[in-house]
């Protein structure tokens, strides 16, 4: 693969990271046992995982600094790539395997990926008595947004790997030598015109961000955190059919229903902690992909976002859903170029040097914009497997911004919505209670007794 400059937003994620605020995406995938014919050994999952990861060209790329543009960086093939430095196995006590995987996932999510190497890691988590296992994947946010991460990570699955051409060698092709980076006079004039256009767009988007920001800088107290550097992970699973049943009854989208469930779960969590409800509804950043539907995922990040005041102060579940639906309709009507959620677009307009030296100042700005992240990560609709072992669940995990204590990520798969919660370990020690509240809130919108009603 040729040398490729990091896009501005990718560069921003690369420089915003710190030891206490790692900026990698994660996914915890649970698989059933690997089937084996009578008398034959099951597939070596670790070997299979390593071989398939090594065959994904993007996973052989590392970040290096470049001279031009000043402050920039580029992806280039790692000449010493060794997949065993990225793919490891950890054996867990089997007594409560799901709980142990969540505990270990939290510990592993605390640790930044190693710089100087391709910025990703995979862990095979084994030890379940029935032969089932889990895989934890970590990809730096500079490498991929949610959709791109799915496209990269999907290369480990049987169904995708079977259709991919095998690598031409065990070592990557040497990268092409980068050019001097000194463009000719005609190109310089084009760059100047582009930068003037970028400046105009940056001013427009920046003004929109400032207008929508909370300049008093006061986030919802229970969701703010002076980072402890620790992480907790919890998971929840909801019935996708029940979510769609609510959607068919009330209108809107399935994502509106899930956002209302998150709002209700937060209200229930506040109450369970004995905390008063916040004076203002907490703000969620809801990332929005700028990729066209059906288009290839392409390299890097292509994101904007909507802001949503989650109606936790509203006591009625139906009214909460209606409020979410109205707010999201307004967001969609305005488009992803308006509001503080467009901060990702602003990052796309800034020169590399601004990202390199502005990161310490920008890292604390998230609390002025939103209180928590709530994102949905789409997965392939077809059944997936690894070495013949069926994928049972996949819980996505989002990074925490500085000053924030909670991120919620959701992925529909196989008739269920799998929800991954990542929290600061000191600020939210009771994350499992919030995970349980998600199920309870869906029960309010779609009472379980409806399951037994004829024709429901």
């Amino acid at each position: 693969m040729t040398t490729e400059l990091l896009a501005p937003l990718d560069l921003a994620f690369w420089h915003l990271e710190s030891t206490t605020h790692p900026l990698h995406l994660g996914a915890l995938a649970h698989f059933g046992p690997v089937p084996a014919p009578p008398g034959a050994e099951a597939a070596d999952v670790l070997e299979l995982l390593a071989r398939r990861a090594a065959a994904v060209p993007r996973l052989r790329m590392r970040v290096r600094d470049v001279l031009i543009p000043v402050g920039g960086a580029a992806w280039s093939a790692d000449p010493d790539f060794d997949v065993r430095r990225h793919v490891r196995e950890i054996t867990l006590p089997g007594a409560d395997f799901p709980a142990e995987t969540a505990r270990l996932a939290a510990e592993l999510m605390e640790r930044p990926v190693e710089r100087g190497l391709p910025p990703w890691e995979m862990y095979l988590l084994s030890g379940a008595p029935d032969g089932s296992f889990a895989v934890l994947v970590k990809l730096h946010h500079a490498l991929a947004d949610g959709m791109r991460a799915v496209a990269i990570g999907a290369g480990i699955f049987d169904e995708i790997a079977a259709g991919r051409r095998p690598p031409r060698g065990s070592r990557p092709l040497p990268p092409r030598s980068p050019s001097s980076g000194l463009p000719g006079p005609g190109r310089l004039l084009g760059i100047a015109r582009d930068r003037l256009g970028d400046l105009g767009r940056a001013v427009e988007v920046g003004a929109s961000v400032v207008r929508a920001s909370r300049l008093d800088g006061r986030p919802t107290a229970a969701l703010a955190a002076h980072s402890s550097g620790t992480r907790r992970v919890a998971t929840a699973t909801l019935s996708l059919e029940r979510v769609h049943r609510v959607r068919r009854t009330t209108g809107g989208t399935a994502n509106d229903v899930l956002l209302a469930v998150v709002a209700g779960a937060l209200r229930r969590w506040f109450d369970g902690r004995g905390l008063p409800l916040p004076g203002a509804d907490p703000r969620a950043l809801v990332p929005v992909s700028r990729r066209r539907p059906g288009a290839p995922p392409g390299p890097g990040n292509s994101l904007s976002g909507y802001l949503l005041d989650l109606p936790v102060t509203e006591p009625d579940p139906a009214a909460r859903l209606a409020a979410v639906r109205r707010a999201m309709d307004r967001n969609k009507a305005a488009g992803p170029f308006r509001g503080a959620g467009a901060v990702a677009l602003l990052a796309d307009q800034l020169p590399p040097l601004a990202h390199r030296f502005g990161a310490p100042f920008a890292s604390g700005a998230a609390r002025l914009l939103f209180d928590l992240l709530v994102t949905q990560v789409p997965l392939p609709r077809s059944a997936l497997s690894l070495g013949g072992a069926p994928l049972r669940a996949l819980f996505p995990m989002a990074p925490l911004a500085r000053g924030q204590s909670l991120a919620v990520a959701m992925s529909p798969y196989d008739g269920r919505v799998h929800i991954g919660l990542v929290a600061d370990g000191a600020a939210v020690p009771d994350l499992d209670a919030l995970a349980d509240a998600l199920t309870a809130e869906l029960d309010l919108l779609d009472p379980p007794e409806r399951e037994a009603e004829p024709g429901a």
Side-chain angles (χ1 to χ4, degrees), residues 106-132:
E107 292 182 7
L108 295 173
M109 288 294 288
E110 293 174 7
R111 308 174 189 173
V113 294
E114 185 176 347
R115 296 199 171 210
L117 298 176
W120 63 275
E121 298 169 0
M122 291 186 188
Y123 294 88
L124 171 62
L125 309 180
S126 58
D130 64 351
S132 61

Side-chain angles (χ1 to χ4, degrees), residues 25-27 145-151 255 287 374-380 394-398 408-413 417-418:
L25 309 172
D145 56 22
M147 290 187 67
R148 178 64 179 168
V150 170
N255 197 46
V374 184
T375 185
Q376 186 170 155
V377 181
L379 294 178
L394 191 148
F395 300 100
M397 291 178 284
V408 182
M410 304 177 283
S411 284
Y413 174 74
V417 181
H418 300 101

